[in-house]
Amino acid sequence: MNIKEFYNTLDENYDSILDRLISPDRIEKYLNIFFNENSVGNLKQQIENKDFEIAKNTAHTLKGAISTLGIDRLVSVISKLQTALENNEAEQANDLFQSFEEEYERIFHIWTNAYIES
Amino acid sequence: MKDILEIAICDDSSFDRFVISEMIDDYFKDKSFLYNVTEYGNELTLIDDIEESNKYDIIFLDIYLNKILGIEVAKKFRAGGFNGKIVFLSASDKYAVESYDVDASGYLLKPHNYAKFCSVMDRLLTGRRKNMMVIKKRSSIEYIPYDSIRYIESSNTKCMIHCSDGKIHTIYTRLDLIQEELDDRRFLRCHRSYLVNLNYVKCLHESFIMDNDELVLIKKKSIKQIKQEYLEYNSNSVLKELVTK
């Protein structure tokens, strides 16, 4: 599976990402960096510890990275999560994080199994 | 005559630091600039470094740093006499107008966009060229003034830069890329394999005859046009001299 097929599998608009980042190699490099970071694990820990001030910043940073990568369905969930954290809405933040994590895991699984190991 | 461009990236996101750093590397890949990139995960060390040495030519500064706004950090820099270029990075255009107050040179919106990044870099580097070709070798760097380049010859994957002191520098690149980089009227692409410095041409027949009697080939099909360009360049040079006198 190449980068284009990876994005097609996610039902994301590969052409608009390529339009912004110009080369598939660059997109691949950025995806590698993103999936090798532990920002999602850190965010989970911060939400569990109810450390919303820090979690808010982590969510903001994650949102930036995900939007650069053009994974819009994750951007949409993390934007809502960021708002919940800003408003100190613990229960909603937990629910939204769970949705975010499930979607992230699904994408991560596609990336590692279908792209990296092919 | 070393001219190293010092660049700082200050962003609390390691991903964004990576992105900007990668774009900088890509931007300079085919350019004769020496540059050095330093990354900062927060503003504190950067503020210290600027107070100490004021060495940066360009700072890429995130607007939403963890505990402070990048705009406020930039104000501190300017108050301390920092006169380098500042380019803000942000997902929001909320501070774009305010960025003028700190004489920002650019405001790059996230998600990152390589073409927009390059256009900001082009603008920042306008006028910075010193008519000097920088050749990066494995363990050294050579600086060759345009004035001392007699002609450049390409052969397979390499190019030989023939200089007026008789030295020949070999680099592994395409002549097209060198031509694009030199972008100076004195250099004329007269053949698929030759780029000639017209200031070293003694006369022109079927080929250029150089000041040291070496021959530089001219593409047969284009000889009329090349002659025209050579004559135009010479008449302009003579006119310039007359005006100066």
Side-chain angles (χ1 to χ4, degrees):
Chain A
M1 186 185 276
N2 61 29
I3 291 288
K4 184 176 183 173
E5 288 161 346
F6 169 73
Y7 275 97
N8 287 344
T9 309
L10 303 186
D11 204 19
E12 298 288 359
N13 188 345
Y14 174 76
D15 290 338
S16 79
I17 299 154
L18 188 65
D19 197 41
R20 264 194 304 108
L21 298 179
I22 310 295
S23 93
D25 285 353
R26 172 173 294 116
I27 300 172
E28 185 185 338
K29 244 188 257 179
Y30 293 178
L31 282 165
N32 265 318
I33 289 291
F34 175 69
F35 286 124
N36 279 305
E37 282 190 332
N38 193 31
S39 304
V40 178
N42 291 340
L43 180 60
K44 183 176 191 169
Q45 197 68 55
Q46 289 154 7
I47 291 174
E48 278 173 5
N49 295 343
K50 302 217 177 329
D51 209 342
F52 286 0
E53 198 52 38
I54 298 176
K56 190 183 72 184
N57 290 335
T58 309
H60 171 76
T61 300
L62 256 172
K63 189 174 77 177
I66 295 164
S67 59
T68 289
L69 295 170
I71 309 174
D72 289 348
R73 59 182 61 209
L74 273 182
V75 174
S76 142
V77 188
I78 199 131
S79 298
K80 288 177 193 158
L81 174 57
Q82 195 186 347
T83 309
L85 290 166
E86 278 165 359
N87 297 333
N88 274 314
E89 294 162 342
E91 201 176 325
Q92 204 177 356
N94 274 316
D95 291 348
L96 284 165
F97 180 78
Q98 211 172 331
S99 312
F100 173 78
E101 193 181 28
E102 276 168 22
E103 187 59 18
Y104 173 83
E105 292 292 345
R106 187 184 74 85
I107 293 168
F108 183 68
H109 184 76
I110 296 170
W111 171 255
T112 48
N113 292 331
Y115 183 73
I116 298 291
E117 290 170 13
S118 64
Chain B
M1 293 287 281
K2 288 190 179 175
D3 185 25
I4 297 179
L5 197 69
E6 289 288 346
I7 303 172
I9 305 168
C10 182
D11 198 311
D12 49 18
S13 158
S14 57
F15 178 84
D16 285 324
R17 291 199 302 276
F18 176 86
V19 167
I20 295 297
S21 179
E22 190 271 343
M23 286 185 175
I24 291 170
D25 285 342
D26 215 21
Y27 177 82
F28 283 118
K29 205 163 57 188
D30 299 320
K31 293 183 175 63
S32 287
F33 273 97
L34 288 175
Y35 65 96
N36 185 41
V37 176
T38 310
E39 294 183 22
Y40 296 87
N42 64 61
E43 72 289 354
L44 299 174
T45 330
L46 176 59
I47 290 171
D48 286 347
D49 284 358
I50 293 223
E51 277 175 5
E52 201 176 295
S53 70
N54 206 357
K55 68 175 178 175
Y56 290 112
D57 299 293
I58 303 171
I59 298 176
F60 288 94
L61 186 57
D62 186 23
I63 287 276
Y64 290 101
L65 290 160
N66 268 339
K67 291 177 181 161
I68 188 169
L69 284 172
I71 289 277
E72 298 305 319
V73 178
K75 281 179 187 166
K76 284 187 188 187
F77 293 158
R78 293 300 189 212
F82 174 74
N83 59 4
K85 315 272 188 191
I86 297 173
V87 178
F88 288 110
L89 308 168
S90 180
S92 149
D93 58 8
K94 191 174 166 188
Y95 294 94
V97 174
E98 210 177 314
S99 73
Y100 285 101
D101 294 343
V102 289
D103 194 22
S105 303
Y107 197 102
L108 285 170
L109 281 171
K110 302 175 190 176
H112 295 286
N113 181 313
Y114 185 63
K116 286 184 180 164
F117 172 85
C118 290
S119 100
V120 166
M121 287 302 285
D122 286 344
R123 208 174 60 235
L124 295 185
L125 298 177
T126 305
R128 218 192 141 87
R129 284 173 186 274
K130 298 263 193 289
N131 289 341
M132 187 87 74
M133 196 171 170
V134 183
I135 300 180
K136 297 165 193 171
K137 296 184 174 173
R138 244 179 226 175
S139 57
S140 64
I141 293 154
E142 296 256 9
Y143 298 83
I144 305 176
Y146 289 180
D147 278 343
S148 69
I149 298 171
R150 189 174 265 134
Y151 65 94
I152 302 173
E153 177 186 8
S154 81
S155 169
N156 298 323
T157 55
K158 60 189 177 185
C159 286
M160 279 84 74
I161 302 163
H162 294 256
C163 293
S164 54
D165 60 3
K167 279 188 185 166
I168 300 172
H169 302 270
T170 301
I171 51 172
Y172 288 85
T173 186
R174 290 189 290 120
L175 191 56
D176 287 346
L177 294 176
I178 295 183
Q179 184 186 357
E180 198 176 297
E181 180 200 319
L182 295 182
D183 190 27
D184 186 296
R185 283 197 68 242
R186 81 188 86 180
F187 294 106
L188 179 66
R189 183 69 177 267
C190 52
H191 187 273
R192 186 167 52 89
S193 304
Y194 288 94
L195 184 67
V196 67
N197 183 342
L198 295 174
N199 292 341
Y200 283 97
V201 171
K202 193 161 73 181
C203 56
L204 185 160
H205 295 292
E206 295 300 302
S207 311
F208 279 119
I209 300 171
M210 307 303 286
D211 63 319
N212 63 348
D213 294 325
E214 278 187 279
L215 293 184
V216 169
L217 297 181
I218 295 175
K219 190 181 177 186
K220 278 186 184 152
K221 279 184 187 168
S222 315
I223 191 141
K224 205 173 162 187
Q225 188 200 334
I226 301 277
K227 261 185 190 168
Q228 185 64 32
E229 286 184 44
Y230 172 61
L231 288 172
E232 271 174 23
Y233 178 78
N234 270 348
S235 59
N236 281 342
S237 301
V238 171
L239 273 176
K240 247 188 190 176
E241 264 181 42
L242 285 172
V243 169
T244 316
K245 278 173 189 171

